[in-house]
Amino acid sequence: MLDKFREECAVVGVYGHPEAANMVYLGLYALQHRGQESSGIVSSDGKGLISHRQMGLVADIFNEDVIKQMDGSIAIGHNRYSTSGQSHLKNTQPFVVEYAHGPIAISHNGNLVNAEILREELEESGSIFQSTSDTEVIIHLIATSRESSLMGRIVEALSRVRGAYSLLFLTLDRMIAARDPRGFRPLVLGKFKTGKGHSGYVVASETCALDLIEAEYMREVEPGEILSFGPKGMESLKPFPPAPHAKCIFEYIYFSRPDSNLYGRNVYQVRKELGRQLARENPVEADLVTPVPDSGVPAAIGYAQESGLPLEFGLIRNHYVGRTFIEPQQSIRHFGVKIKLNAQREVLRRKRVVVVDDSIVRGTTSRKIIRMLRDAGAKEVHMRISSPPTSSPCYYGIDTPTRSELIASASAVDEIRRFIEADSLAYLSREGMYSFLDGRSDGFCDACFSGNYPIHFDDEGHVRQLHLFEATQQR
Ligand code: 5GP
Ligand code: SF4
Ligand code: MG
């Protein structure tokens, strides 16, 4: 069985820098929010690939000794996130394999929707899989390709996969980046400022990684583009028929870091604008606006600015919450949420509160937060969400639960309001979500809000009518 829709990830690659592995490490550090389960870096010293992969956080996995041993001017890395049972070291990327022409490493962000079918085919003809990750399918397709050049093999492999991929490959002397024709997942290109002998390129999931390592943003890797970095510099290839773009709108709403620039816009500014629009669409008489930190902060600022209500931090977050903690035998009310958030009585007592968050998934956290706000003295709690109801699962690389676990898949807004025990609840409209783009929604995927999937599925998430894929692309 493949590990399905559990691949929120970050990728970083550096070509042509004397401390490539160190730069990748810092890039992964900046992108820790995209995956906290495991990390890995692979570098090339021209003679072989040096790999270090482990479960845990970037800061805990890599130290000076490890990085020092990762010689070479090319390196790629990966952060992985998984909430499913399939969280093993064997699924930790970058994957490294030997094929006919030497070693190759791969880092993948996204989710392939026809991986299961391809895997069965490959296994029937003798490929032996080592992980439960969809990414390994790409490696076997490259290894079994009859094309002679590496680029030929990669193009052939990618022409057979469907779904979302932002990819980095590393060989002894080259780095290759690829983004699927719809551009589901982000991928950006930057270069190191020349002057101190640090010429070279970086490719990363988000621009905040470029900022930390002082690389200059050049542009996005375009959907459908393959970039090859080698001794002759950078080459760009667009070998696939163009498809309508389907860039993930949820990256703007929740997933990307607010200091990143995504699809040409600053994420923080976009989130603030979503909050403003939310206030225009769903005003409420109240005493103050308070965010659910951290994800709700920019939207709450926008809501407060537009409504004229004061912004207060009624909830304070502990930023050092790890994966495990010892739960007391005697139960503490709302324990799971309380360990992360604390409600401030001085701010909330006898107040009518607008609480702003980016999304409601299962509704269980929101329910506990609202109870905490009331326990701390809030007189009324009005919840405002800076995106439309999350009603459908994502099959393109964001870890949303199955349809039945999404509260908005079967419940109307007022039923959700009753479940989370809010005095009122309102979401941003789908049109409102695109207001910062003057209403232009073309080029984006919003399937988790609209159910309108750029590639079709049945209820289990299996790909339907794959043979019609080319036709759908033309729509
Ligand atoms: P709920 O009330 O649905 O249990 O939790 C809502 C919270 O989940 C919100 O604060 C939102 O920021 C957060 N959230 C939304 N999408 C995701 C996601 O894909 N992964 C994680 N870890 N949290 C999410
Ligand atoms: Fe992003 Fe939602 Fe589309 Fe998944 S379904 S790619 S989370 S917009
Ligand atoms: Mg949140």
Side-chain angles (χ1 to χ4, degrees):
M1 257 307 273
L2 283 172
D3 214 3
K4 262 188 291 175
F5 13 100
R6 302 278 184 239
E7 296 285 325
E8 291 170 350
C9 295
V11 298
V12 189
V14 165
Y15 179 89
H17 191 288
E19 295 183 71
N22 206 334
M23 293 298 121
V24 168
Y25 155 77
L26 291 172
L28 293 178
Y29 213 113
L31 297 173
Q32 186 75 80
H33 62 288
R34 299 185 72 88
Q36 299 95 43
E37 181 200 83
S38 63
S39 284
I41 299 177
V42 178
S43 75
S44 167
D45 63 4
K47 298 186 280 294
L49 299 189
I50 308 151
S51 158
H52 188 79
R53 302 180 303 160
Q54 219 167 288
M55 308 296 289
L57 297 174
V58 176
D60 302 326
I61 296 173
F62 301 98
N63 56 43
E64 229 179 310
D65 291 339
V66 170
I67 296 292
K68 259 191 201 143
Q69 279 162 29
M70 307 196 83
D71 278 339
S73 60
I74 328 173
I76 65 169
H78 191 263
N79 287 340
R80 183 168 189 273
Y81 173 86
S82 165
T83 52
S84 72
Q86 303 282 14
S87 52
H88 305 301
L89 187 58
K90 65 177 178 174
N91 282 338
T92 298
Q93 297 190 31
F95 290 132
V96 185
V97 287
E98 287 282 338
Y99 79 114
H101 300 272
I104 184 166
I106 180 174
S107 288
H108 175 206
N109 175 209
N111 188 64
L112 306 179
V113 298
N114 64 338
E116 204 125 6
I117 302 163
L118 290 172
R119 184 172 168 134
E120 279 163 25
E121 278 177 35
L122 284 158
E123 282 180 330
E124 270 165 33
S125 51
S127 294
I128 296 164
F129 280 75
Q130 292 169 14
S131 73
T132 54
S133 158
D134 58 330
T135 307
E136 205 185 341
V137 167
I138 299 172
I139 292 189
H140 287 282
L141 289 171
I142 291 171
T144 55
S145 166
R146 293 211 169 80
E147 293 287 326
S148 54
S149 70
L150 174 66
M151 195 49 113
R153 284 167 181 257
I154 288 176
V155 170
E156 192 192 276
L158 296 184
S159 72
R160 296 194 59 200
V161 302
R162 297 289 179 265
Y165 56 81
S166 283
L167 286 167
L168 288 171
F169 300 96
L170 171 76
T171 65
L172 289 182
D173 63 350
R174 268 216 275 181
M175 178 171 89
I176 289 161
R179 189 170 177 203
D180 69 77
R182 291 178 178 266
F184 281 107
R185 305 258 62 85
L187 196 64
V188 297
L189 168 68
K191 63 169 188 253
F192 290 99
K193 293 163 192 128
T194 45
K196 282 181 259 161
H198 298 306
S199 60
Y201 295 96
V202 51
V203 176
S205 295
E206 290 183 40
T207 60
C208 64
L210 273 49
D211 294 338
L212 176 58
I213 61 180
E214 298 190 329
E216 191 182 317
Y217 173 78
M218 293 167 72
R219 61 177 176 86
E220 280 188 55
V221 177
E222 287 176 38
E225 185 175 34
I226 301 181
L227 285 174
S228 172
F229 305 86
K232 281 185 231 146
M234 183 178 85
E235 287 170 84
S236 164
L237 208 73
K238 284 188 188 151
F240 308 118
H245 294 177
K247 297 178 179 183
C248 174
I249 195 83
F250 193 62
E251 290 276 351
Y252 271 143
I253 287 157
Y254 171 79
F255 209 51
S256 287
R257 239 171 72 161
D259 52 334
S260 283
N261 292 326
L262 177 73
Y263 321 143
R265 276 163 213 269
N266 173 251
V267 174
Y268 173 75
Q269 298 296 346
V270 169
R271 285 184 193 161
K272 235 169 52 176
E273 192 44 53
L274 296 175
R276 283 184 172 276
Q277 180 64 21
L278 181 62
R280 285 191 284 267
E281 288 182 9
N282 300 292
V284 59
E285 223 174 275
D287 300 311
L288 59 92
V289 177
T290 203
V292 178
D294 291 328
S295 57
V297 172
I301 293 172
Y303 195 102
Q305 287 178 351
E306 185 67 26
S307 64
L309 295 172
L311 179 83
E312 296 282 359
F313 275 74
L315 293 159
I316 300 296
R317 178 166 170 183
N318 180 341
H319 284 101
Y320 307 96
V321 178
R323 296 219 127 207
T324 53
F325 35 76
I326 303 151
E327 214 166 322
Q329 304 261 311
Q330 299 283 320
S331 84
I332 293 173
R333 279 154 56 80
H334 327 313
F335 182 75
V337 170
K338 235 179 207 166
I339 204 151
K340 200 163 152 186
L341 296 170
N342 194 16
Q344 304 216 74
R345 179 165 291 274
E346 302 306 312
V347 172
L348 298 163
R349 191 168 36 207
R350 289 197 283 275
K351 291 295 194 305
R352 297 169 301 171
V353 177
V354 185
V355 57
V356 178
D357 206 349
D358 65 283
S359 56
I360 296 177
V361 183
R362 292 182 173 86
T364 47
T365 311
S366 307
R367 179 188 170 110
K368 286 176 184 164
I369 286 170
I370 288 170
R371 285 189 179 181
M372 267 170 55
L373 294 172
R374 289 199 204 277
D375 284 353
K379 200 165 67 182
E380 289 172 22
V381 180
H382 302 277
M383 186 136 205
R384 294 292 179 272
I385 302 296
S386 63
S387 65
T390 306
S391 53
S392 301
C394 173
Y395 302 117
Y396 312 121
I398 291 280
D399 173 44
T400 49
T402 54
R403 187 178 297 276
S404 60
E405 292 169 281
L406 292 170
I407 190 166
S409 72
S411 303
V413 173
D414 196 55
E415 288 171 293
I416 302 172
R417 181 196 65 75
R418 260 181 280 148
F419 177 77
I420 64 173
E421 299 173 351
D423 292 290
S424 75
L425 166 68
Y427 290 86
L428 186 62
S429 68
R430 184 176 175 276
E431 298 71 43
M433 178 167 67
Y434 290 108
S435 58
F436 72 97
L437 293 162
D438 299 324
R440 289 188 316 273
S441 63
D442 52 308
F444 288 95
C445 173
D446 58 20
C448 48
F449 303 118
S450 63
N452 188 4
Y453 289 99
I455 303 173
H456 296 280
F457 297 90
D458 65 18
D459 275 349
E460 268 79 55
H462 295 306
V463 187
R464 221 173 350 127
Q465 299 171 317
L466 252 188
H467 56 286
L468 289 180
F469 181 73
E470 305 308 338
T472 355
Q473 282 195 323
Q474 305 312 319
R475 264 206 249 141

